[in-house]
Amino acid sequence: MPEPLMAAPDSPLRLLPKVELHCHVEGTARAATVAELAAKHGIPLGVDDPDDLYTYESLADFLNAFGTVCSVFLEPADFHRLAYEAAEDAAAAGTRYREMFFSPGFHLDRGVPFHRMWEGLVSGIADGETDHGVRTRLILDVDKPKGIGPAMALLEVARSLDRDLLIGVGGDSTEQGLDHHMFEPLIAEAQQLGLKTCFHCGEDGPAENIAIMVEAGIDRIDHGTRLLDLPDLTKRVVDERIPLTSCPGSNVEIGVVESLEAHPFVDQRAAGALVTLNSDDPTFFRYDLADEYERMSATFDLDMAEMVAIRDNAIEASWLDETDKAALRAEFAAS
Ligand code: HPA
Ligand code: ZN
């Protein structure tokens, strides 16, 4: 029996074809894979049961676990497996198209050269698409606490990457103690290069961080949980149709929102914002995208038409061109 509020294998919301815009490839790592790779490389995980890695009470705890999980991916074959299994699990959640973060800062810290990570991800994504029908494009996420210097250095690396695969630049980790104005040059330069931009903000920090990043010109707001705290900003985000990639389950697990019932997702939607639903780090939170849809539908009594409209928001908010969006809408309508 599935647990309460999980999407069963035959649940209409699991079978609904979906698009996901906020998911970290490292946050899809299966505990069993992490344990196997740790054994292969002789890396201590500090726990007997790898499942125990995925427990935390704060974003800081979570980021610690995230770092430990990152530490086992060293060779192209490891990154291939990560990306391939991400596609396999996405297919099981009904995800057909995904714009997915990867976080080079965590791997560079451990001496893994960028090209090793990139080579593995690219081939894993290609094989994942062939075998599981999930199309994936990548967003390079900078680790915000490292500051603007390392972020700009990563953007330099991004210049030469295949633009069919790398479509955007973002930033993750904590907002605590960081003046987000420092990232303005990153956004400007990324846009100069023709990359889309997004940023985690208004998650464990205030709505003012969303305002700074909107002013900097970001194309999408990641989380944006605190948006409604600022009515003028909310109006701008609604009027300019700047999408939010909301991850209610993640917000509850990490403790920035008390419960799903208390999450502002539905209120943001009622205010007219273009809000999308996402899993963030599905293996870390133990809910995939289908579970996320199921839980929000059950918690807020959202019927199928409403859930389809939320799914359709993700098509609109994606960085596909209009032709590809139309093709995806047609594909989804036919399935
Ligand atoms: N918040 C901040 N940083 C992250 C997250 C998140 O939810 N997931 C991966 N890196
Ligand atoms: Zn995230």
Side-chain angles (χ1 to χ4, degrees):
M1 280 287 286
E3 290 177 56
L5 295 183
M6 302 288 272
D10 60 349
S11 147
L13 287 172
R14 183 168 293 283
L15 301 176
L16 179 74
K18 290 179 278 299
V19 165
E20 183 163 44
L21 306 177
H22 186 154
C23 179
H24 302 257
V25 68
E26 296 88 348
T28 71
R30 299 173 184 168
T33 299
V34 172
E36 236 181 81
L37 293 179
K40 176 174 115 178
H41 296 307
I43 295 168
L45 289 177
V47 289
D48 291 334
D49 180 349
D51 258 336
D52 290 345
L53 277 178
Y54 300 154
T55 51
Y56 14 72
E57 282 168 13
S58 65
L59 181 56
D61 272 1
F62 166 82
L63 290 168
N64 251 332
F66 194 80
T68 303
V69 165
C70 286
S71 73
V72 307
F73 297 95
L74 298 178
E75 297 168 350
D78 304 336
F79 288 98
H80 178 283
R81 181 168 175 183
L82 177 64
Y84 184 85
E85 291 179 352
E88 187 171 22
D89 292 347
T95 306
R96 301 272 187 88
Y97 173 70
R98 180 145 79 180
E99 295 175 359
M100 184 166 67
F101 298 115
F102 72 114
S103 299
F106 285 82
H107 307 290
L108 293 168
D109 274 355
R110 295 179 166 82
V112 178
F114 189 98
H115 66 85
R116 239 188 252 168
M117 171 189 351
W118 182 254
E119 181 190 326
L121 291 177
V122 169
S123 62
I125 284 170
D127 290 346
E129 179 168 351
T130 303
D131 292 354
H132 300 293
V134 178
R135 189 172 158 208
T136 302
R137 296 160 109 196
L138 288 169
I139 305 169
L140 189 163
D141 238 2
V142 304
D143 185 26
K144 290 190 288 185
K146 288 193 164 65
I148 185 65
M152 295 302 274
L154 275 174
L155 199 55
E156 268 312 297
V157 177
R159 277 178 190 277
S160 60
L161 301 176
D162 175 2
R163 286 302 164 73
D164 285 336
L165 257 181
L166 183 80
I167 56 170
V169 170
D172 62 22
S173 294
T174 183
E175 292 163 70
Q176 300 290 312
L178 294 179
D179 178 353
H180 280 51
H181 285 295
M182 84 169 107
F183 299 109
E184 287 160 356
L186 177 77
I187 302 303
E189 183 75 18
Q191 290 179 339
Q192 277 276 318
L193 295 178
L195 291 162
K196 296 287 191 181
T197 56
C198 54
F199 239 63
H200 284 53
C201 50
E203 180 194 17
D204 69 326
E208 281 73 11
N209 287 344
I210 309 174
I212 292 168
M213 299 317 295
V214 164
E215 195 56 40
I218 52 166
D219 299 287
R220 219 156 54 197
I221 299 162
D222 293 322
H223 289 295
T225 314
R226 309 293 329 166
L227 174 70
L228 299 178
D229 292 351
L230 291 180
D232 288 351
L233 175 66
T234 303
K235 183 174 181 325
R236 178 170 179 188
V237 165
V238 169
D239 288 349
E240 295 182 17
R241 238 168 146 64
I242 304 170
L244 274 77
T245 64
S246 186
C247 312
S250 159
N251 289 164
V252 172
E253 294 296 319
I254 278 174
V256 296
V257 174
E258 199 161 296
S259 62
L260 270 192
E261 288 77 2
H263 196 278
F265 179 91
V266 166
D267 292 340
Q268 289 175 339
R269 205 168 136 63
L274 178 59
V275 197
T276 65
L277 196 50
N278 305 273
S279 69
D280 207 358
D281 304 280
T283 53
F284 282 67
F285 303 131
R286 299 180 167 84
Y287 300 112
D288 69 12
L289 187 61
D291 300 323
E292 205 72 46
Y293 271 60
E294 193 81 30
R295 282 154 38 94
M296 291 302 280
S297 166
T299 303
F300 291 100
D301 204 15
L302 302 170
D303 64 15
M304 193 61 175
E306 199 111 25
M307 297 311 294
V308 168
I310 290 165
R311 186 280 311 272
D312 288 346
N313 278 354
I315 303 177
E316 179 179 344
S318 78
W319 293 333
L320 292 166
D321 64 26
E322 290 307 320
T323 308
D324 285 347
K325 285 183 187 179
L328 206 55
R329 288 189 184 102
E331 180 193 319
F332 286 5
S335 64

